[in-house]
Amino acid sequence: QGELVRPASLSNPGLIPFSDFLAKEGIGGYFFTQERSVIKKVDIKRPFFLVVWLTGIRFFHFLSTKLSQVHHALFPPPYDALMLGMVFGNAAVELPAPMQVYFRKAGLTHLLVASGAQVALLVSLCHGICRFLSLPRWLVLGVTTLFNTLFFFLAGGGWASLRACLMTQLVLVGEWIGGKGDTWHFLGLTLFIILLLDPTALFSISLQLSFAATLSLMYLVPVVEKLLLAMPRCPRWLGKSLAVSLAPTLLTQPILLF
């Protein structure tokens, strides 16, 4: 016997309720008891959709384990973890603490985050191969969607990877139906869908940094490039390179400082 208590949902304005955080960790409440009895897990009949979902999770975990084994066989430690982190992000693999510190001090932490660069490279490769094979448009969409979904789960399913994969998927669907959507519309629709799934995601620093970096590449890079090229003796190649590096820093640094 004991008492089952739900976590308090009260929170300061702008913060995520602790009950929501526990729910994401699979914790629905507290159980208090004074007896030293063993708590047994009772098997229950799971709904079909839950069985399918858990089967998919086990498949992605199996695939992730196999990919990790391949990297461990090809690269010596700690470079095996570094390679996995640069491909699938640090959410999919635990990097050694000293290596994380080195990347943080060098300002290169963004290289260890699954972002639009990896997604764009993967989807472009799949799209190009499918077009080279002259596959029908519906099959091209299906193949690219499959690899896009695989990457999302293998990358750990974080907000940054969700933003990149979801926005890419919207662009693919728009191309399939023959529309020419604006990039701003795709970005806004991506944020709208994410907030429909979880409104508290708005307060996630991962989501904020992901959208800030994307906005900087879309809007701020041309502005910074124009300012750099207006400087005397600034080569065009140098101005373009510096603009791509400086623009995301200008928008993401205030969030990190806050």
Side-chain angles (χ1 to χ4, degrees):
Q1 294 181 353
E3 181 182 6
L4 184 62
V5 180
R6 289 181 175 273
S9 60
L10 299 178
S11 177
N12 293 330
L15 297 180
I16 300 175
F18 187 58
S19 57
D20 292 353
F21 170 77
L22 292 177
K24 292 180 180 179
E25 298 296 323
I27 301 174
Y30 304 103
F31 184 76
F32 297 94
T33 179
Q34 296 181 351
E35 301 179 2
R36 294 185 178 180
S37 58
V38 178
I39 300 177
K40 297 181 180 180
K41 183 179 179 181
V42 180
D43 293 330
I44 59 174
K45 187 176 181 181
R46 295 171 177 173
F48 176 74
F49 73 90
L50 183 58
V51 174
V52 174
W53 174 259
L54 293 177
T55 303
I57 294 298
R58 294 191 188 98
F59 168 73
F60 288 119
H61 182 266
F62 169 79
L63 190 59
S64 177
T65 303
K66 289 298 182 182
L67 288 174
S68 299
Q69 292 175 355
V70 171
H71 280 79
H72 294 329
L74 293 176
F75 303 97
Y79 303 107
D80 52 350
L82 176 61
M83 182 60 66
L84 275 173
M86 296 186 69
V87 175
F88 297 109
N90 56 357
V93 60
E94 185 176 355
L95 295 174
M99 184 176 291
Q100 296 185 33
V101 174
Y102 296 151
F103 272 84
R104 193 177 301 115
K105 288 183 177 180
L108 299 174
T109 311
H110 61 279
L111 296 178
L112 304 176
V113 178
S115 61
Q118 292 96 321
V119 177
L121 180 62
L122 176 64
V123 171
S124 299
L125 181 62
C126 296
H127 198 271
I129 294 176
C130 291
R131 285 298 181 91
F132 177 77
L133 297 175
S134 301
L135 298 179
R137 291 175 58 186
W138 65 268
L139 189 55
V140 175
L141 176 64
V143 172
T144 50
T145 299
L146 174 62
F147 280 94
N148 193 25
T149 306
L150 280 174
F151 179 85
F152 168 70
F153 284 102
L154 291 177
W159 291 120
S161 56
L162 177 60
R163 194 277 313 161
C165 293
L166 183 56
M167 187 173 178
T168 302
Q169 191 61 39
L170 291 175
V171 173
L172 291 173
V173 173
E175 182 188 35
W176 178 64
I177 62 178
K180 294 183 179 180
D182 185 74
T183 309
W184 294 100
H185 294 162
F186 287 126
L187 185 64
L189 183 58
T190 301
L191 180 60
F192 177 74
I193 294 175
I194 291 177
L195 294 181
L196 277 182
L197 297 174
D198 185 3
T200 61
L202 185 63
F203 305 106
S204 169
I205 186 173
S206 174
L207 187 74
Q208 293 171 8
L209 290 174
S210 178
F211 274 89
T214 306
L215 283 172
S216 68
L217 295 175
M218 294 169 55
Y219 172 73
L220 203 56
V221 166
V223 178
V224 176
E225 181 183 341
K226 185 177 180 180
L227 292 175
L228 291 175
L229 293 179
M231 299 173 61
R233 298 181 180 179
C234 181
R236 187 173 183 83
W237 63 268
L238 181 60
K240 286 181 174 291
S241 302
L242 288 177
V244 175
S245 300
L246 289 176
T249 304
L250 292 175
L251 273 188
T252 58
Q253 199 62 35
I255 300 176
L256 293 174
L257 292 175
F258 176 76

